Amino acid sequence: MPYPSRVFGLPKTHVLTLHQSTNPLDLEFVVWCLAFFLGMPLTTTEAGFLDAAPTKPGKLVDFGLTRPGDEGDAIGLALGFLNAEPGDSRAPKRVAAVIHALFLSQYPQSLPFEGFQYFYMALDGCFQLISAKGGIERPRSHGERIQWMCAMFDMPVPDWARHATSVALGCSEQRLPRGALLWRAAWILDLWWQSAGSRSWQHAAPDAGVSQPALGRNPW
């Protein structure tokens, strides 16, 4: 196995069965989605963790499941997505890639630019998911993408993500918006990393179930 000092596994802790599907890819997709809603990485593989994994739910997202049965609702949403995209084999893979990149972006020992690269991959993956639908006019520059995605879902646009026109900036519309977006996002991530030391993670250490980082060696 490549990079044995970085890729590690943990004992299986749960069993998940999908009675309406025999496709193992469907099961993997549901586990990825459940990991997102729980805010911690889950895996069906023997060694599905890279570098570190948080030891408590809710560490990788800014929301939480609070009601009994919310996990079942999350699984239902994942299955609903699969049913809505029966002919698009790339869509579930893109969702999993977005979740994976988002989780990797929050590794507390990464340098700010390393975390930002994964974070930007997650944002770009979301953009590809939406724009792949077709029949939708795509934004012409990277600086417009976040604002465009927020508009698609009727969400408020963060001030730092608002696309500035060439008139307001007094320079090229195709170049500065992306640079301004990168600089602002990197600044926000840098502030986030400074406060990440209090997070509880488990470091990499040398059944068809799901592994959850609960017990292991070398926590930090």
Side-chain angles (χ1 to χ4, degrees), residues 117-182:
Q117 287 176 331
Y118 284 118
F119 186 65
Y120 192 82
M121 290 178 190
L123 284 174
D124 199 53
C126 291
F127 173 77
Q128 294 299 329
L129 269 169
I130 302 171
S131 60
K133 293 295 184 182
I136 308 173
E137 184 178 356
R138 296 160 55 109
R140 292 177 294 177
S141 70
H142 281 259
E144 297 175 292
R145 288 187 173 185
I146 296 178
Q147 183 169 322
W148 180 81
M149 288 189 287
C150 289
M152 292 296 298
F153 293 100
D154 195 24
M155 298 171 59
V157 182
D159 290 338
W160 58 268
R162 294 186 182 278
H163 179 68
T165 64
S166 58
V167 175
L169 294 173
C171 59
S172 171
E173 181 180 358
Q174 293 298 324
R175 295 181 58 186
L176 188 56
R178 185 181 183 185
L181 172 63
L182 294 176

Side-chain angles (χ1 to χ4, degrees), residues 51-135:
D51 290 330
T55 56
K56 296 180 180 180
K59 293 293 183 179
L60 300 178
V61 294
D62 58 358
F63 61 88
L65 304 180
T66 58
R67 299 177 304 173
D70 279 350
E71 293 84 356
D73 292 339
I75 293 173
L77 287 174
L79 293 175
F81 181 88
L82 290 174
N83 293 332
E85 304 286 345
D88 188 354
S89 61
R90 290 186 177 184
K93 295 178 181 178
R94 283 172 171 159
V95 171
V98 166
I99 297 170
H100 195 193
L102 176 65
F103 285 0
L104 291 177
S105 73
Q106 300 180 65
Y107 177 45
Q109 289 190 355
S110 293
L111 296 173
F113 78 90
E114 293 174 315
F116 172 73
Q117 287 176 331
Y118 284 118
F119 186 65
Y120 192 82
M121 290 178 190
L123 284 174
D124 199 53
C126 291
F127 173 77
Q128 294 299 329
L129 269 169
I130 302 171
S131 60
K133 293 295 184 182

